[in-house]
Amino acid sequence: MLYYNITFKLSRMKKTCTTLLILLILWVNAMARATPDTVFKLEKQPLMDTIPTGWKIHAGNNPRWAMPGLDDKRWTDFDPASNAVILNNKGDNFWLRLHLIIGDSLKTTDFAFMIEQNVASEIYLDGKLIKTYGTIAHQVNPYNPHGFPLPVKLSAGKHLIAVHFAACKYLLKYQDLGNSAYAFNLVINTQGNAEINYAETADTENQSMGHNLLLIGMFFILTITHLASYLYYRKQKAHLYYAFITFILLFATYTNFAVTNQHSALITFWLSTIATVGFIGFVFLPLTIYELFDYRNRVAIKVILTFSALTIPVIWINTTYAFRLLFYITPLVNATECLRVGIWALKHKKRGALFVVAGSFLFLSLLVVANLIPGNWGEALFVLSLISLPIGMTVFLAIRTAITYRSLEIKLVEVQELSHQNMQFQLEKQQMLAQQNTILEEQVIERTAELSQSLASLKATQTQLIQTEKMASLGELTAGIAHEIQNPLNFINNFSEVSRELLTELKDELSAGNTEDVLAIAGDLDQSLEKINTHGKRADSIVKGMLEHSKAGSGTKEATDINKLADEYLRLAYHGLRAKDKSFNAELITHFDESLPLVNIIPQDIGRVMLNLFNNAFYAVQQKQKKAGSVYKPAVEVSTSIENENILISVKDNGIGIPDAIKDKIMQPFFTTKPTGEGTGLGLSLTYDMVVKGHGGNIQVTSIEGEGSEFIIQLPIE
């Protein structure tokens, strides 16, 4: 029983241990499966470049992380092939670590690293810096070596590859802009195989660059050709629009060529971005079709342009989607619109519509198939689609231009025939014109003789009118002078009568012998004769002064007192008008600047100018007085002043004014508003000539109809 119990217990313990052992094995196996192997083993001789796995990444900038002894188990796994955005919210400095084991079966220690990157990096092997690409310190300068082999020595056993890299944040965020570019990727191969593979890749890229150069040349020629066609004949806007299309393709192809061996990731990024955004310009493709077929309903192109513009902000959200939308969807949508308009043109029997429909359909088909077929065939079809569209459209435009030229040749022949007919007609017309010219010359001679006679008559009439105007002015001047000397003459006449009476009384007193009375009468007679002499001298002074200003003179400028001249002619004009109309009265207002210097003028000419302006002012207030009656108080204001080395003489009235319609005509010869017989229309014309031409001055006129006028004479101080 005891033996049985012991055996049973041993058997039970054995089963328990077995169970525990099985569970332990299962747990270890599960742990082994749950914890991936983070060490990359290279045990076979690689022919192709090998992408190592097991990378670990950590954000930061700590030089100790290059050391082999660091525990990096808690670092984040990193797979370069995923092309994922790398924790861009944690900064722009990172460390990568890869544990590498070189197997004993590999008989070489000569290996090479091939690196593709869009960052600046420092490559460490077993804690030692072996290579630096770009600049990390201060301003980051990314550099892409494009897989150029970096020779390294790797003996059999364990090794550590550590990479410190830094990048611009927008490159970390947008590094997948349509070109599958890695933030950082490293492949390993033996040095010999790596150099062979790099040379083969370089040959392939050189062939691609050659193809790109061919495309660049073709697109450049097409751009220049269409642009020149437009510049030669600017009404052909289709050539201008299509020049934009070929230029976009030229720039896109150049970008693809330029970035092939471009080591600056920044330049590559911006060139790719600009080329991608430039595909919005494919809207010029439908515009070309619109122009060719004179299609006016352009709602669709506005929708396409709006869609394309709204696609641009997607770059800041998801660059891959933005690239696909701009690089593939935009050309497809525009080509579809071309196909739609081509079908419309085909229905309306537009010339060349079938060609456009076929070309658009071929472009769409090749573009769709190119996106469906991967690899080199897809790329070849894509390039073929890009080539087919511009070449086809160029052929179409060339055919269209050739048809136009052919029609022009036909029209040219017609024009030549019409020109020949026109020449015959011109010959006949010239003969008729020669006859007509002979007749006209005879008529011209006759008319010229008549006109010469009429002109001589007009000149004589003009001379008479000018003389009449002068005589009228002289008459007014004479009337003023007569009125001015009337008072002294009255005194002379009165005192002469008194003197005669005193002489009679003197004779009587002498006969009577009254000596005292004789002496008294003699004293009175002496006083009377003295007054006669005084008033006679006054009359003589008036006549001499007036004649001095009214005589023709020699036309020589003299130093003249403007205030005195203006005052004398104002009184002459006023008294001259009163001599004609005793009922006329007006208020004379003068504001003479006593500081005026003497001015070199021709007194006779400026006197006539003032007399004419005064007469016009008195005439204006006289006409208004006749209409307004006694409530109206006529006034003429004369003022002088000096301003900017010029003498200003202002003649202002509150008369009838000058209508706006005739202000520009009042200085013209023979223009007058006075009734027939009252004016010749030469007064202001002569006034203008005397002031402007004779003295280098100016006359300004301001007037309000019904309120009055103001004439301002401006004379330079010489």
Side-chain angles (χ1 to χ4, degrees):
M1 188 67 176
L2 180 60
Y3 172 78
Y4 174 78
N5 290 335
I6 293 174
T7 303
F8 177 77
K9 289 180 179 180
L10 289 174
S11 176
R12 190 174 180 179
M13 289 176 64
K14 184 177 181 181
K15 290 181 179 180
T16 301
C17 291
T18 302
T19 302
L20 291 174
L21 182 60
I22 293 173
L23 291 174
L24 180 61
I25 293 172
L26 291 175
W27 179 79
V28 171
N29 188 36
M31 290 299 295
R33 292 182 179 180
T35 304
D37 188 3
T38 58
V39 178
F40 179 75
K41 298 179 181 180
L42 188 63
E43 296 179 333
K44 296 182 179 180
Q45 185 81 8
L47 296 176
M48 301 301 296
D49 298 332
T50 302
I51 301 177
T53 59
W55 287 96
K56 295 286 188 177
I57 188 170
H58 196 284
N61 184 10
N62 191 340
R64 294 188 299 105
W65 294 348
M67 297 296 103
L70 180 71
D71 184 6
D72 55 15
K73 292 181 179 180
R74 295 185 179 181
W75 284 27
T76 305
D77 293 334
F78 174 70
D79 181 8
S82 67
N83 195 30
V85 177
I86 312 171
L87 304 175
N88 58 346
N89 292 327
K90 294 186 178 180
D92 55 4
N93 270 268
F94 299 89
W95 277 85
L96 290 172
R97 288 169 62 89
L98 175 69
H99 296 277
L100 175 67
I101 295 179
I102 302 298
D104 295 333
S105 59
L106 295 174
K107 303 302 183 182
T108 180
T109 60
D110 295 326
F111 290 87
F113 293 162
M114 285 72 72
I115 297 172
E116 292 276 354
Q117 64 178 28
N118 282 320
V119 295
S121 64
E122 296 174 341
I123 313 300
Y124 293 83
L125 180 61
D126 296 330
K128 295 181 180 180
L129 178 65
I130 61 173
K131 189 66 176 179
T132 300
Y133 294 113
T135 305
I136 293 180
H138 305 296
Q139 185 176 358
V140 176
N141 183 19
Y143 181 89
N144 188 354
H146 290 295
F148 187 81
L150 173 62
V152 293
K153 293 289 185 178
L154 294 174
S155 59
K158 294 181 180 181
H159 298 276
L160 174 70
I161 302 174
V163 180
H164 174 210
F165 70 84
C168 301
K169 289 187 176 181
Y170 53 80
L171 279 182
L172 287 176
K173 185 174 183 180
Y174 306 122
Q175 47 84 26
D176 61 335
L177 186 60
N179 56 8
S180 298
Y182 297 103
F184 178 85
N185 186 45
L186 181 147
V187 298
I188 303 175
N189 204 339
T190 60
Q191 184 174 352
N193 290 338
E195 292 174 352
I196 293 172
N197 294 342
Y198 181 80
E200 292 176 351
T201 302
D203 289 340
T204 303
E205 289 181 350
N206 288 334
Q207 293 178 4
S208 176
M209 290 175 64
H211 297 158
N212 285 331
L213 283 174
L214 180 63
L215 291 175
I216 289 172
M218 183 185 69
F219 289 141
F220 177 77
I221 293 172
L222 291 176
T223 301
I224 296 300
T225 300
H226 288 289
L227 185 59
S229 299
Y230 167 72
L231 294 176
Y232 182 76
Y233 186 57
R234 293 177 182 265
K235 291 185 177 180
Q236 294 181 343
K237 292 185 178 180
H239 286 288
L240 176 64
Y241 295 152
Y242 208 71
F244 281 113
I245 297 295
T246 54
F247 177 77
I248 291 168
L249 295 173
L250 169 65
F251 185 78
T253 308
Y254 169 76
T255 301
N256 190 34
F257 169 80
V259 302
T260 301
N261 291 320
Q262 178 57 248
H263 293 289
S264 174
L266 288 174
I267 296 176
T268 300
F269 169 76
W270 286 115
L271 285 176
S272 301
T273 302
I274 294 172
T276 303
V277 174
F279 268 69
I280 293 178
F282 257 87
V283 296
F284 286 103
L285 185 59
L287 286 175
T288 305
I289 307 301
Y290 292 166
E291 189 69 23
L292 290 174
F293 298 133
D294 195 23
Y295 185 75
R296 297 299 178 184
N297 185 8
R298 304 190 177 187
V299 177
I301 196 65
K302 295 179 181 178
V303 175
I304 293 172
L305 185 59
T306 303
F307 166 78
S308 302
L310 292 176
T311 302
I312 296 177
V314 179
I315 293 176
W316 281 263
I317 301 173
N318 189 301
T319 53
T320 301
Y321 291 160
F323 174 80
R324 291 173 181 172
L325 289 172
L326 291 170
F327 198 75
Y328 292 105
I329 303 302
T330 298
L332 281 172
V333 172
N334 284 286
T336 304
E337 173 64 7
C338 293
L339 180 61
R340 184 187 70 83
V341 177
I343 295 173
W344 171 87
L346 193 63
K347 291 181 180 179
H348 289 77
K349 298 181 180 180
K350 300 282 186 178
R351 179 181 294 178
L354 181 61
F355 190 90
V356 172
V357 170
S360 300
F361 181 77
L362 177 62
F363 173 74
L364 285 170
S365 302
L366 290 175
L367 197 59
V368 171
V369 174
N371 287 314
L372 295 177
I373 298 177
N376 294 331
W377 282 104
E379 293 181 3
L381 289 175
F382 178 73
V383 173
L384 182 61
S385 67
L386 294 181
I387 296 175
S388 63
L389 186 60
I391 291 179
M393 188 60 68
T394 301
V395 171
F396 169 69
L397 291 174
I399 294 174
R400 186 170 179 267
T401 304
I403 294 173
T404 302
Y405 286 162
R406 186 177 300 172
S407 64
L408 288 175
E409 288 179 354
I410 296 173
K411 291 181 179 179
L412 180 61
V413 173
E414 296 176 355
V415 169
Q416 289 176 346
E417 294 178 356
L418 291 174
S419 177
H420 179 71
Q421 296 176 2
N422 187 49
M423 289 180 62
Q424 296 295 329
F425 175 75
Q426 290 295 331
L427 290 174
E428 296 175 359
K429 187 177 179 180
Q430 288 177 359
Q431 294 176 356
M432 294 177 62
L433 287 174
Q435 297 175 357
Q436 292 293 330
N437 286 336
T438 303
I439 297 173
L440 287 174
E441 286 177 358
E442 295 176 355
Q443 293 178 350
V444 166
I445 293 173
E446 295 176 0
R447 296 291 176 85
T448 302
E450 295 175 359
L451 288 174
S452 298
Q453 185 177 357
S454 299
L455 182 61
S457 178
L458 285 174
K459 287 183 177 180
T461 303
Q462 182 178 3
T463 303
Q464 293 176 1
L465 287 173
I466 293 174
Q467 186 63 28
T468 301
E469 178 69 23
K470 290 182 178 179
M471 293 303 295
S473 298
L474 183 59
E476 293 172 352
L477 183 63
T478 303
I481 294 173
H483 187 277
E484 191 68 14
I485 65 175
Q486 186 66 44
N487 289 332
L489 288 177
N490 288 337
F491 280 109
I492 292 172
N493 291 333
N494 291 336
F495 284 112
S496 65
E497 290 292 332
V498 171
S499 297
R500 290 179 61 188
E501 293 176 356
L502 290 174
L503 285 173
T504 302
E505 292 179 2
L506 181 63
K507 289 178 181 180
D508 292 340
E509 294 299 330
L510 284 173
S511 299
N514 296 327
T515 306
E516 293 180 0
D517 291 337
V518 169
L519 291 175
I521 293 171
D524 292 338
L525 181 60
D526 182 62
Q527 291 179 0
S528 179
L529 291 174
E530 183 179 357
K531 290 182 179 180
I532 289 172
N533 184 46
T534 299
H535 288 289
K537 290 181 178 179
R538 179 186 172 195
D540 180 66
S541 175
I542 291 171
V543 171
K544 287 182 178 179
M546 295 301 102
L547 292 177
E548 180 69 22
H549 294 309
S550 60
K551 66 183 179 180
S554 62
T556 304
K557 292 184 178 181
E558 302 174 5
T560 306
D561 186 344
I562 291 294
N563 291 338
K564 183 178 179 182
L565 189 67
D567 184 63
E568 291 176 354
Y569 276 93
L570 176 64
R571 287 187 287 104
L572 285 176
Y574 179 64
H575 293 311
L577 185 58
R578 281 196 36 90
K580 297 178 182 178
D581 185 2
K582 299 294 184 181
S583 63
F584 175 73
N585 284 294
E587 181 182 5
L588 303 183
I589 305 171
T590 58
H591 299 288
F592 294 140
D593 187 352
E594 299 299 333
S595 64
L596 291 184
L598 297 179
V599 185
N600 286 326
I601 60 172
I602 303 175
Q604 299 81 15
D605 290 349
I606 299 302
R608 291 192 185 99
V609 169
M610 291 182 178
L611 183 62
N612 186 48
L613 294 180
F614 295 151
N615 287 336
N616 288 344
F618 287 129
Y619 179 82
V621 297
Q622 183 187 38
Q623 295 301 313
K624 187 171 182 180
Q625 187 180 39
K626 292 178 180 179
K627 298 178 181 178
S630 60
V631 296
Y632 168 68
K633 302 298 181 182
V636 174
E637 181 180 346
V638 181
S639 61
T640 59
S641 62
I642 184 169
E643 181 180 325
N644 296 330
E645 300 299 324
N646 290 294
I647 298 295
L648 301 183
I649 307 168
S650 170
V651 180
K652 185 176 182 182
D653 65 74
N654 60 346
I656 57 177
I658 304 172
D660 292 336
I662 65 172
K663 281 183 181 179
D664 296 335
K665 302 178 182 179
I666 60 175
M667 297 293 178
Q668 296 177 3
F670 307 110
F671 180 83
T672 181
T673 59
K674 296 178 181 179
T676 304
E678 294 188 17
T680 62
L682 292 174
L684 286 177
S685 175
L686 293 174
T687 296
Y688 183 82
D689 288 344
M690 290 177 182
V691 172
V692 176
K693 297 180 180 178
H695 292 80
N698 190 21
I699 298 180
Q700 298 178 359
V701 183
T702 57
S703 180
I704 300 177
E705 188 175 5
E707 296 184 13
S709 305
E710 181 179 12
F711 286 77
I712 300 176
I713 301 173
Q714 178 180 310
L715 296 173
I717 300 176
E718 297 181 0

